[in-house]
């Protein structure tokens, strides 16, 4: 599976990518929503996009709205990964078409739990 990590912080892109790779994702990165849309327009196909809210050029909510407006991209699972923690922001993102919402800071287990909830990773078997 392929994931696109969209965040204006290179460090945060690396952190999220480093958590996704052991879960079986091939990780691609973009520094803002417009760069991410450009990658999709160039033919990158992804199963998951992890999206920060606050970015220059195009923010995460606009990216979600643009992806959801394109029927060819409706299969992409969209997960906000952001510091925005107000209930109103969460509701706006989910109403715009995000599937899940993860608030920074997060733990490796919390990102795995969200991906499991979305059906993108399997649950670990008990030993």
């Amino acid at each position: 599976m392929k994931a696109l990590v969209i965040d204006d912080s290179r460090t945060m892109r690396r952190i999220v990518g480093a958590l996704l790779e052991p879960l079986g994702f091939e990780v691609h990165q973009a520094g803002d929503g417009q760069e991410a849309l450009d990658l999709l327009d160039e033919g990158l196909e992804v199963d998951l996009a992890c999206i920060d809210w606050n970015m220059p050029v195009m923010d995460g909510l606009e990216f979600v709205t643009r992806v959801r407006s394109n029927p060819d991209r409706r299969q992409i699972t969209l997960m906000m990964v952001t510091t925005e923690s107000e209930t109103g922001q969460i509701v706006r993102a989910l109403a715009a078409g995000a599937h899940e919402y993860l608030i920074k800071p997060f733990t490796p287990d919390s990102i795995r739990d969200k991906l499991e909830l979305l059906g993108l990773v399997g649950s670990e078997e008990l030993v």
Side-chain angles (χ1 to χ4, degrees), residues 5-127:
V5 178
I6 310 162
D7 198 305
D8 58 324
S9 165
R10 180 179 292 142
T11 301
M12 188 53 64
R13 290 194 309 265
R14 287 181 181 161
I15 290 168
V16 174
L19 294 173
L20 293 175
E21 286 173 349
L23 299 174
F25 288 92
E26 175 185 316
V27 177
H28 300 267
Q29 299 181 12
D32 60 63
Q34 185 59 59
E35 184 181 339
L37 278 180
D38 291 346
L39 288 171
L40 296 176
D41 288 342
E42 291 167 8
L44 178 64
E45 294 183 12
V46 297
D47 304 288
L48 169 69
C50 295
I51 311 144
D52 185 28
W53 190 302
N54 299 304
M55 297 178 287
V57 185
M58 181 188 295
D59 68 25
L61 186 63
E62 177 67 17
F63 175 81
V64 168
T65 302
R66 298 273 298 273
V67 167
R68 285 293 167 247
S69 70
N70 184 335
D72 295 334
R73 297 187 176 141
R74 297 209 177 201
Q75 81 288 356
I76 301 173
T77 299
L78 303 176
M79 181 167 69
M80 300 298 291
V81 182
T82 180
T83 58
E84 294 294 332
S85 60
E86 292 182 16
T87 302
Q89 300 290 74
I90 297 169
V91 169
R92 284 179 62 203
L94 296 174
H99 293 93
E100 211 26 276
Y101 202 98
L102 183 62
I103 298 170
K104 297 175 190 173
F106 54 85
T107 65
D109 286 341
S110 64
I111 198 166
R112 183 178 181 27
D113 290 348
K114 293 285 187 181
L115 295 174
E116 189 176 322
L117 184 70
L118 292 166
L120 294 174
V121 297
S123 59
E124 294 178 349
E125 301 214 10
L126 298 174
V127 179

